[in-house]
Amino acid sequence: MSESEIADVDAYMHAMGERARGASRVLARATTAQKNRALLAMASALDEARDALETANRRDLEAGRDNGLAEALLDRLALTPARIDTMIEGLRQVAALSDPVGEIRDMRYLPSGLQVGKMRVALGVVGIVYESRPNVTVDAASLCLKSGNATILRGGSEAIHSNRAIAACIRQGLRVAELDDACVQVVATTDRAAVGALIAMPEFVDVIVPRGGKGLIERISRDARVPVIKHLDGICHVYVDQAADPAKAVAIADNAKTQRYSPCNAMETLLVHAEAAPFVLPELADIYRRKGVEMRACERTRAWIADAIAVTEEDWHSEYLAPIVAIRVVDTLEEAITHINTYGSHHTDAIVTENLTDARRFLTEVDSSSVMVNASTRFADGFEYGLGAEIGISTDKLHARGPVGLEGLTSEKYIVYGDGHVRS
Amino acid sequence: MSESEIADVDAYMHAMGERARGASRVLARATTAQKNRALLAMASALDEARDALETANRRDLEAGRDNGLAEALLDRLALTPARIDTMIEGLRQVAALSDPVGEIRDMRYLPSGLQVGKMRVALGVVGIVYESRPNVTVDAASLCLKSGNATILRGGSEAIHSNRAIAACIRQGLRVAELDDACVQVVATTDRAAVGALIAMPEFVDVIVPRGGKGLIERISRDARVPVIKHLDGICHVYVDQAADPAKAVAIADNAKTQRYSPCNAMETLLVHAEAAPFVLPELADIYRRKGVEMRACERTRAWIADAIAVTEEDWHSEYLAPIVAIRVVDTLEEAITHINTYGSHHTDAIVTENLTDARRFLTEVDSSSVMVNASTRFADGFEYGLGAEIGISTDKLHARGPVGLEGLTSEKYIVYGDGHVRS
């Protein structure tokens, strides 16, 4: 359906939801082989459609330039040959992952003679709302398909032609595997009302995964009538313990801040034990200065870094996503943990220490979705964790925490075997 | 604090939330031994406070009678010696359950040399909103405490004196184990605004578990600003397959409907394969007639049960919780599965069959939180599943499905060990 034909967006989304629900019932019982066949056929279809993809993408880029889109956004939007390669490779990797659907655990006999256990099942229909990167279309579709979920994808309006061209390849892959087109649907209108409709159809959509800026995610979390898998902020900490190896501490605090500034798992606040400060802060300050990182520090830190500017309470709450770091000296491990649990965003926090007891305590008491020992917070993602891919990162407490891969797109139901059992 | 002192309910609930959040940080790292000591001390405190409990309960019962409370509600409200025994026994059982907090699974080395796995952790603060049964105060508090969660309990106004007397015993148990009073707090006001405040404090409360009638649960689900673990309906089915053993089918369809009418896991709709109908329906109809169960049946069923009244579309959507059963004859297993997935409430559904392939297909394709083979739907609860206890039953797709015990009150965070690892 082309955009001009979509007069009634609510009716259009309703029909899409109904088709997705129907397809999800079939997909939930599709064999692993059939799902993999579809994924590999999508990869081939993308490979064969390179010209069409680049033509469609050129239309988006031209429109973007005409509309004065920022250079960074145009860069995200671009479907270069290398990015098409990455999408194709991603599909092949997801095909190679083991299928979580149908896993049975903890089957056991109970005193009644009943045998009870849990079976892993698809969630049903997943709605994905994302911004400019067209590669999300393929990443999200492939993870949802492999985990047995039907998907409705709603990308950014600036990528509409690219997304439609990718959608055509996805449909071709589904057809090769004899799966219903409605297993993966791409919203064909740029009308913003489509998002509002998508997130308010609990009868057809089981979960929404928003991917994009904080504004988008806040809006969706507020208005959604179905559960949302998300994270809002990545206020990540590195704590350099009294028992830290100074070389590891410097390397990790440098990497966590400067390897890239914009990812949500980059460090924003550095906490340093008072006894470690002299062995770590001067050297780190040199590195940060050289790399142009602005340092905002507490009074005690400034004894070691004279040129740091005074930190404010607001800094502890800030996700800079920029070459800025907040630094605080603490007297105890407990003070560091309290700081993280108070100001952090439950995303990713790391301790640098050689002390076993301090490491165990930090792992247990820091209430974040990823807690690390002697590693850079930048490792918090699905690829690095061996999930094969990720659909997003969750900082919520229920369901999945941290990078969400195939398992996070499933849940478990109880299965029970009896032999004519009745309750007395 | 007595009720008369609580002028500003929002401020009162805010303070309670803040204290709960603080206590949850301590409770999350309490040892299993300390939590068990508290549970056993609560059991002793209840045993010693029998007189006080009965006096407080008498006040509630008298007020209930004065206010014209229905006999069924007065019955639920009564704290008989046997019910006090059950509460005490429940506390001892929860103390005996194994502690899920801190369990580590799937630790493995990744190509980067990082070691990544998952650790089970408490959710944080659990808010429980329930109606007349005062025993829920103890059941909920004990499960939350054992799983390392702080709890805020808001019982029905008609049970306020009983709940306060129970709360005193809970506090005594906490003190014996040197745990903060704020680990378990009972809302001391009957002002309904307290519920509104409790479900709208995401900064202090991580999840709400409503226990009570459908009206309560709908209201809370609609207004809550934190996740809700719940089920709205229990529209449970028994499907008698072509390959069913007729004796098992009759026993299960009888038990699932008539063993008790009001529980959410009682059967509401019976589906029978056309070839099984002659071997099952006449005998079942005799039983239902004898027990006074009204039969509402499709045209084809009425060939076997002439006195059944005609079923309507609305019946398939109905949770009777009463001596009424809807009956439909189907031609295929697929028709039965489609009926259940269309009209059911994703609670509990059972197949009666001797055929392996039919059983496997039903288990895989029925999208309910409990799916059973050759067993009565009445078995769907935490005690029967060996969870030791349950805080409720969830029919949602995310997080916990089915009876929710200790594990459903926890989630998993990622833990990562490196040795100075940085990302390149």
Side-chain angles (χ1 to χ4, degrees):
Chain A
M1 203 182 290
S2 85
E3 193 179 345
S4 57
E5 295 171 60
I6 303 166
D8 183 341
V9 172
D10 275 348
Y12 170 73
M13 294 304 297
H14 188 277
M16 194 172 254
E18 202 162 12
R19 290 191 65 212
R21 175 61 77 210
S24 77
R25 302 242 182 265
V26 179
L27 196 51
R29 62 175 190 262
T31 63
T32 307
Q34 192 179 13
K35 294 186 286 190
N36 289 346
R37 198 155 64 238
L39 293 168
L40 295 175
M42 288 174 197
S44 303
L46 283 174
D47 198 20
E48 284 156 21
R50 285 173 183 273
D51 288 347
L53 290 170
E54 287 173 30
T55 305
N57 189 240
R58 214 171 301 124
R59 286 182 65 187
D60 286 332
L61 288 170
E62 279 162 16
R65 273 190 213 97
D66 291 348
N67 294 327
L69 220 56
E71 208 47 51
L73 289 179
L74 286 171
D75 175 61
R76 282 194 207 168
L77 187 52
L79 271 185
T80 61
R83 282 188 183 164
I84 295 174
D85 289 346
T86 305
M87 290 196 294
I88 292 170
E89 184 49 33
L91 283 162
R92 292 183 177 143
Q93 280 172 10
V94 173
L97 292 175
S98 70
D99 186 344
V101 174
E103 274 176 16
I104 292 173
R105 71 165 168 120
D106 293 352
M107 284 300 296
R108 55 188 168 165
Y109 283 98
L110 294 169
S112 60
L114 282 186
Q115 195 184 11
V116 178
K118 287 184 166 186
M119 179 191 280
R120 194 163 283 286
V121 293
L123 294 174
V125 178
V126 181
I128 318 267
V129 182
Y130 54 106
E131 291 176 336
S132 45
R133 297 178 193 274
N135 62 302
V136 172
T137 311
V138 167
D139 293 353
S142 61
L143 283 173
C144 290
L145 184 80
K146 182 73 182 239
S147 55
N149 294 289
T151 328
I152 300 176
L153 293 149
R154 208 289 186 176
S157 54
E158 64 285 359
I160 186 79
H161 299 103
S162 311
N163 288 340
R164 281 191 196 149
I166 293 171
C169 299
I170 291 174
R171 274 196 303 273
Q172 193 178 323
L174 291 170
R175 270 195 300 272
V176 168
E178 292 172 4
L179 283 167
D180 188 337
D181 268 13
C183 289
V184 182
Q185 297 177 85
V186 173
V187 176
T189 170
T190 58
D191 191 328
R192 292 175 72 114
V195 177
L198 178 61
I199 65 177
M201 304 192 292
E203 67 279 31
F204 300 132
V205 177
D206 296 296
V207 61
I208 294 286
V209 184
R211 292 279 298 262
K214 195 170 162 178
L216 172 82
I217 295 170
E218 273 177 339
R219 228 164 33 243
I220 285 178
S221 304
R222 193 189 55 225
D223 298 337
R225 289 187 46 223
V226 294
V228 177
I229 292 179
K230 63 162 197 307
H231 70 279
L232 273 179
D233 290 310
I235 303 175
C236 302
H237 301 74
V238 171
Y239 165 59
V240 177
D241 191 40
Q242 180 174 18
D245 175 324
K248 293 179 192 171
V250 169
I252 288 170
D254 173 16
N255 184 264
K257 181 70 244 177
T258 71
Q259 194 249 344
R260 275 179 65 201
Y261 296 108
S262 62
C264 57
N265 59 14
M267 173 185 79
E268 306 296 7
T269 299
L270 174 67
L271 303 170
V272 182
H273 192 283
E275 295 195 17
F279 307 104
V280 169
L281 286 179
E283 191 178 343
L284 254 180
D286 280 345
I287 294 172
Y288 287 152
R289 256 180 236 116
R290 206 170 58 238
K291 295 190 177 177
V293 176
E294 179 182 318
M295 293 174 270
R296 302 186 183 175
C298 72
E299 203 49 48
R300 293 170 74 189
T301 301
R302 293 163 72 200
W304 301 101
I305 312 177
D307 56 336
I309 66 172
V311 74
T312 66
E313 173 80 10
E314 203 192 324
D315 283 299
W316 307 134
H317 291 287
S318 295
E319 184 184 25
Y320 303 119
L321 302 177
I324 306 171
V325 64
I327 311 178
R328 179 178 174 187
V329 168
V330 297
D331 284 314
T332 59
L333 169 62
E334 184 159 5
E335 206 180 322
I337 293 172
T338 301
H339 181 105
I340 294 170
N341 286 338
T342 305
Y343 296 107
S345 62
H346 310 290
H347 193 295
T348 302
D349 301 288
I351 185 174
V352 186
T353 190
E354 298 299 310
N355 182 284
L356 173 68
T357 301
D358 288 358
R360 290 186 75 222
R361 197 165 163 207
F362 191 87
L363 284 175
T364 304
E365 296 183 24
V366 169
D367 183 24
S368 297
S369 55
S370 289
V371 190
M372 301 184 166
V373 179
N374 293 336
S376 168
T377 55
R378 290 280 296 113
F379 282 106
D381 83 42
F383 294 95
E384 296 293 339
Y385 284 4
L387 307 182
E390 68 176 32
I391 197 142
I393 289 183
S394 164
T395 55
D396 286 328
K397 297 285 188 84
L398 266 68
H399 195 67
R401 297 182 83 175
V404 178
L406 292 177
E407 189 177 292
L409 290 169
T410 62
S411 65
E412 291 175 308
K413 67 185 181 190
Y414 279 99
I415 60 173
V416 178
Y417 286 101
D419 186 27
H421 282 68
V422 295
R423 197 162 162 187
S424 53
Chain B
M1 202 183 290
S2 86
E3 193 178 347
S4 56
E5 295 171 61
I6 304 167
D8 183 342
V9 172
D10 275 349
Y12 170 73
M13 293 305 296
H14 188 277
M16 193 172 256
E18 203 162 13
R19 292 190 65 214
R21 175 60 77 208
S24 76
R25 303 244 182 262
V26 180
L27 196 51
R29 63 176 190 262
T31 63
T32 307
Q34 192 180 13
K35 294 186 286 190
N36 289 346
R37 197 154 67 238
L39 293 167
L40 296 174
M42 288 174 196
S44 303
L46 283 173
D47 197 23
E48 284 157 21
R50 286 173 182 274
D51 288 349
L53 290 169
E54 286 173 29
T55 304
N57 188 242
R58 212 171 303 123
R59 285 182 66 187
D60 286 332
L61 288 170
E62 279 162 16
R65 270 188 215 98
D66 292 348
N67 294 328
L69 222 56
E71 208 49 51
L73 289 179
L74 287 171
D75 176 60
R76 284 193 206 169
L77 186 53
L79 272 184
T80 61
R83 285 188 182 164
I84 296 174
D85 289 344
T86 305
M87 291 195 292
I88 292 170
E89 184 50 31
L91 283 162
R92 291 181 178 144
Q93 281 172 8
V94 173
L97 292 175
S98 68
D99 186 343
V101 173
E103 274 176 16
I104 292 173
R105 71 165 168 120
D106 293 352
M107 283 303 293
R108 55 189 169 165
Y109 283 97
L110 294 169
S112 60
L114 281 185
Q115 194 183 13
V116 178
K118 288 185 166 185
M119 180 192 279
R120 194 162 282 287
V121 293
L123 294 175
V125 178
V126 181
I128 319 266
V129 181
Y130 54 105
E131 291 176 333
S132 45
R133 296 177 196 274
N135 61 303
V136 172
T137 311
V138 167
D139 293 353
S142 62
L143 283 172
C144 290
L145 185 80
K146 182 74 183 241
S147 54
N149 295 289
T151 327
I152 300 176
L153 294 148
R154 208 291 187 173
S157 55
E158 63 285 0
I160 186 78
H161 299 103
S162 310
N163 288 339
R164 281 191 196 151
I166 293 170
C169 298
I170 290 173
R171 274 195 302 274
Q172 192 178 325
L174 291 170
R175 271 195 299 273
V176 168
E178 291 172 3
L179 284 167
D180 188 336
D181 268 14
C183 290
V184 183
Q185 297 177 87
V186 174
V187 175
T189 170
T190 59
D191 191 328
R192 292 175 71 116
V195 176
L198 178 62
I199 66 176
M201 303 192 291
E203 68 279 30
F204 299 132
V205 177
D206 296 296
V207 60
I208 295 285
V209 185
R211 293 278 300 260
K214 194 171 164 179
L216 172 81
I217 294 170
E218 274 178 337
R219 228 167 30 244
I220 285 178
S221 304
R222 194 187 54 225
D223 298 336
R225 291 188 41 223
V226 294
V228 177
I229 293 179
K230 61 159 200 308
H231 69 278
L232 273 179
D233 290 310
I235 304 176
C236 302
H237 301 75
V238 171
Y239 165 59
V240 177
D241 191 41
Q242 180 174 18
D245 175 325
K248 292 179 191 172
V250 169
I252 288 170
D254 172 16
N255 185 265
K257 181 70 243 176
T258 71
Q259 194 249 346
R260 276 178 64 200
Y261 296 108
S262 62
C264 57
N265 58 15
M267 174 186 77
E268 306 296 8
T269 299
L270 175 68
L271 303 170
V272 182
H273 191 282
E275 294 195 19
F279 306 103
V280 169
L281 285 179
E283 191 178 343
L284 254 181
D286 280 345
I287 294 171
Y288 287 152
R289 257 180 234 116
R290 207 169 57 238
K291 295 188 176 178
V293 176
E294 179 182 318
M295 291 173 272
R296 303 185 184 176
C298 71
E299 203 48 49
R300 294 170 72 188
T301 302
R302 292 162 73 201
W304 302 100
I305 311 176
D307 56 338
I309 65 172
V311 75
T312 66
E313 174 79 10
E314 203 192 326
D315 283 299
W316 307 134
H317 291 286
S318 296
E319 184 182 26
Y320 303 120
L321 303 177
I324 306 172
V325 64
I327 310 178
R328 179 178 174 187
V329 168
V330 295
D331 284 313
T332 59
L333 169 60
E334 184 159 4
E335 206 181 323
I337 293 171
T338 301
H339 181 105
I340 294 170
N341 285 339
T342 306
Y343 296 106
S345 62
H346 310 290
H347 194 296
T348 302
D349 301 288
I351 185 175
V352 185
T353 190
E354 298 300 311
N355 181 284
L356 174 67
T357 301
D358 289 357
R360 288 186 76 222
R361 195 163 164 208
F362 191 87
L363 283 175
T364 304
E365 296 183 24
V366 169
D367 183 24
S368 297
S369 55
S370 289
V371 191
M372 301 182 165
V373 179
N374 294 336
S376 167
T377 55
R378 290 280 295 112
F379 282 104
D381 83 43
F383 294 95
E384 296 294 339
Y385 284 5
L387 307 183
E390 69 176 32
I391 198 143
I393 289 183
S394 164
T395 55
D396 287 326
K397 296 285 187 84
L398 266 69
H399 195 67
R401 296 182 83 174
V404 178
L406 292 178
E407 190 178 290
L409 290 168
T410 62
S411 66
E412 291 175 308
K413 67 184 180 190
Y414 279 99
I415 60 173
V416 178
Y417 285 102
D419 186 26
H421 282 67
V422 295
R423 196 162 162 186
S424 54

